């Protein structure tokens, strides 16, 4: 059997790194920058008001108070977006709105709340020191500086900043087009009625959800029967439009292992990984398209996704942090694990205030068919290959979802 770490490295290498592409900002959410973004303009691009109020000279409102207000003539209105701004002469005020350019000659803003709101003359009841409520040009981002670094994951704030510095497109690592295939003659697609010996197909739905959440485009082919010709007929026409094929089922050592039968000798290698669940695995290239084959039991599928597929896809998309956050926690009950295999158990982690180490307890048994227990889990408990039993109270590694 191959080790978990070695097989993980093989899958990451198989997927490699995607090519950089230009995309409009609206199509970049969740993707990763492939190159630095330089600010074409400063932010703010000009000195502007941080408040609705009046632009003044600080010297003209010195000492103003509710008991001794200062009255100034209002000589201009400056709304946001005005491009021609008149100069402020000493002893006057300009009414100004948030975001509007500071007029030459003004060095402070008086909030409208500290005035009577006059439009021809304004009574000011609080002084305002120079620089008060003024946003200075370039105080957020300087023109020509790096606004976003390569490797940045693009969320709402990052995309907003890219637009704010004048960009309509970004260079990102291209998302993967993934073909997800579930196999098994026993599988039925809901809401078709089940017959004895059949089960509803769920693997493709789980994989689609997990892969889509990483920013990829997913097409699913559900419930391909255990027939090699039918498998090839269903998949081969779709390969030209796929960057990755992910299959579930049909890779074990029994009869009717359709994925193994169809792809052995066609560029895909099948192996056993020293883990529980998820031992039977396969990967390679079929018609030059990367293929990752997963076991058929639903928990094995989700664990394989977490341990192998998720980090490989994130790496291909340009992410530098591809692993789940790992913490140490104390077990609430003892756990047994098969010798020589790394066991991944569904668990629930919590941390008591004031405690240095968190606690974790299993959810469900080790069986790879116990999907409901996975819905109650917020982590995977990891028991190393050399641990046959972890006593209650012992510390273990935990991968947080």
């Amino acid at each position: 059997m191959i080790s978990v770490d070695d097989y993980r490295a093989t899958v990451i290498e198989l997927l490699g790194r995607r090519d950089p592409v230009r995309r409009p900002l609206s199509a970049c959410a969740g993707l990763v920058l492939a190159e630095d973004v330089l600010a074409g303009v400063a932010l703010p691009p000009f000195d502007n008001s941080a408040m609705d109020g009046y632009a003044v000279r600080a010297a003209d409102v010195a000492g103003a108070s509710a008991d001794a207000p200062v009255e100034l003539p209002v000589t201009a209105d400056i709304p946001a977006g005005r491009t021609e701004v008149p100069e402020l002469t000493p002893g006057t005020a300009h009414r100004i709105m948030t975001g509007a350019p500071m007029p030459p000659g003004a060095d402070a803003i008086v909030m409208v709340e500290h005035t009577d709101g006059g439009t021809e003359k304004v009574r000011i009841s609080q002084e305002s020191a120079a620089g008060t409520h003024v946003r200075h040009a370039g105080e957020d981002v300087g023109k020509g500086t790096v606004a976003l670094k390569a490797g940045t994951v693009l969320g709402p704030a990052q995309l907003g900043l890219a637009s704010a510095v004048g960009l309509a497109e970004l260079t990102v690592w291209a998302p993967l087009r993934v073909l997800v295939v579930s196999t098994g003659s026993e599988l039925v697609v809901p809401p078709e009625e089940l017959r004895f010996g059949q089960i509803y197909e769920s693997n493709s739905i789980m994989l689609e959800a997990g892969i889509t959440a990483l920013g990829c485009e997913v097409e699913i082919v559900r419930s391909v029967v255990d027939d090699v010709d039918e498998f090839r007929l269903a998949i081969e026409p779709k390969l030209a439009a796929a960057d990755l094929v992910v299959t579930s089922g049909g890779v074990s050592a029994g009869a009717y292992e359709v994925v193994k039968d169809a792809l052995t000798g066609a560029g895909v290698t099948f192996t056993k990984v020293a883990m529980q669940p998820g031992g039977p695995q396969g990967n390679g290239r079929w018609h030059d398209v990367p293929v990752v084959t997963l076991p058929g039991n639903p928990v094995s599928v989700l664990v394989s996704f977490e341990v192998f597929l998720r980090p490989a896809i994130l790496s291909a998309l340009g992410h530098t942090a591809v692993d789940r956050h790992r913490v140490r926690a104390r077990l609430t009950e003892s756990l047994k694990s098969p010798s020589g295999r790394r066991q991944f158990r569904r668990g629930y982690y919590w941390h008591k205030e004031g405690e240095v180490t968190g606690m974790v307890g299993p959810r469900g048994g080790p069986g790879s068919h116990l999907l409901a227990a996975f819905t109650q889990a917020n982590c995977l408990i990891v028991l190393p290959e050399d641990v046959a039993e972890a006593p209650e109270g012992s510390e273990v590694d935990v991968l947080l979802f």
Side-chain angles (χ1 to χ4, degrees):
M1 291 188 289
I2 187 173
S3 73
V4 170
D5 294 335
D6 286 347
Y7 189 72
R8 178 180 182 275
T10 297
V11 177
I12 289 175
E13 183 180 3
L14 172 69
L15 270 60
R17 175 64 62 85
R18 299 289 288 152
D19 293 329
V21 295
R22 294 287 290 178
R23 279 195 156 199
L25 298 188
S26 59
C28 289
L31 301 181
V32 179
L33 266 181
E35 60 184 28
D36 289 348
V37 169
L38 300 182
V41 296
L43 288 185
F46 48 83
D47 290 355
N48 68 87
S49 176
M51 295 287 177
D52 293 333
Y54 296 84
V56 298
R57 293 193 324 146
D60 289 338
V61 297
S65 67
D67 295 330
V70 170
E71 186 173 89
L72 298 173
V74 178
T75 54
D77 261 356
I78 310 176
R82 183 167 180 174
T83 56
E84 296 181 3
V85 179
E87 184 174 355
L88 180 77
T89 58
T92 67
H94 287 351
R95 193 167 67 149
I96 194 168
M97 306 303 144
T98 302
M102 287 290 291
D107 60 4
I109 299 294
V110 177
M111 295 171 57
V112 69
E113 290 86 350
H114 298 149
T115 74
D116 65 355
T119 57
E120 295 184 359
K121 291 183 178 181
V122 60
R123 290 169 62 86
I124 297 170
S125 57
Q126 182 171 308
E127 63 182 3
S128 192
T132 301
H133 303 314
V134 178
R135 302 166 175 163
H136 296 287
E139 70 176 47
D140 190 13
V141 178
K143 182 178 180 179
T145 63
V146 176
L148 295 167
K149 292 184 177 181
T152 297
V153 181
L154 297 169
Q158 292 76 20
L159 292 171
L161 180 58
S163 185
V165 297
L167 295 179
E169 295 182 332
L170 292 172
T171 301
V172 296
W173 297 110
L176 286 159
R177 299 168 300 173
V178 184
L179 181 63
V180 171
V181 184
S182 64
T183 66
S185 296
E186 76 280 15
L187 301 179
V188 173
V189 176
E192 182 180 336
E193 186 176 351
L194 288 179
R195 297 166 59 189
F196 182 75
Q198 295 179 326
I199 59 173
Y200 284 125
E201 194 277 325
S202 60
N203 288 345
S204 67
I205 299 302
M206 296 189 299
L207 288 169
E208 180 186 32
I211 296 170
T212 300
L214 303 182
C216 298
E217 303 164 10
V218 178
E219 178 183 359
I220 61 175
V221 179
R222 303 182 73 178
S223 306
V224 178
V225 298
D226 292 325
D227 180 271
V228 169
D229 291 335
E230 290 288 336
F231 175 83
R232 289 176 176 156
L233 186 63
I235 308 307
E236 284 184 324
K238 298 178 179 293
L239 292 178
D243 302 308
L244 170 65
V245 176
V246 179
T247 69
S248 64
V251 296
S252 295
Y256 304 106
E257 303 294 348
V258 64
V259 176
K260 197 171 187 179
D261 293 342
L263 300 185
T264 296
V268 177
T269 300
F270 296 88
T271 188
K272 284 267 194 176
V273 179
M275 64 186 291
Q276 185 195 54
Q281 301 283 341
N283 75 92
R285 288 183 174 272
W286 184 29
H287 297 290
D288 205 36
V289 178
V291 177
V292 176
T293 70
L294 309 179
N297 282 314
V299 174
S300 296
V301 167
L302 286 179
V303 169
S304 298
F305 171 79
E306 287 291 333
V307 177
F308 305 127
L309 199 55
R310 182 179 181 275
I313 290 175
L314 288 175
S315 179
L317 297 180
H319 291 259
T320 53
V322 301
D323 295 315
R324 295 291 193 183
H325 184 54
R326 184 183 292 260
V327 298
R328 297 286 284 178
R330 289 183 289 115
L331 284 172
T332 60
E333 61 183 82
S334 64
L335 294 177
K336 295 184 181 296
S337 180
S339 179
R341 300 191 184 196
R342 188 178 305 179
Q343 188 182 64
F344 297 90
R345 292 287 297 270
R346 289 134 285 169
Y348 189 84
Y349 170 87
W350 72 98
H351 196 282
K352 292 182 180 179
E353 187 176 353
E355 295 285 338
V356 176
T357 305
M359 305 291 291
V360 68
R363 290 296 181 266
S368 58
H369 63 295
L370 302 175
L371 182 58
F374 221 129
T375 69
Q376 304 160 17
N378 64 2
C379 67
L380 287 177
I381 303 168
V382 184
L383 300 180
E385 291 84 347
D386 59 351
V387 172
E389 184 172 3
E392 178 183 345
S394 62
E395 289 192 8
V396 293
D397 281 339
V398 171
L399 303 178
L400 300 179
F401 295 148

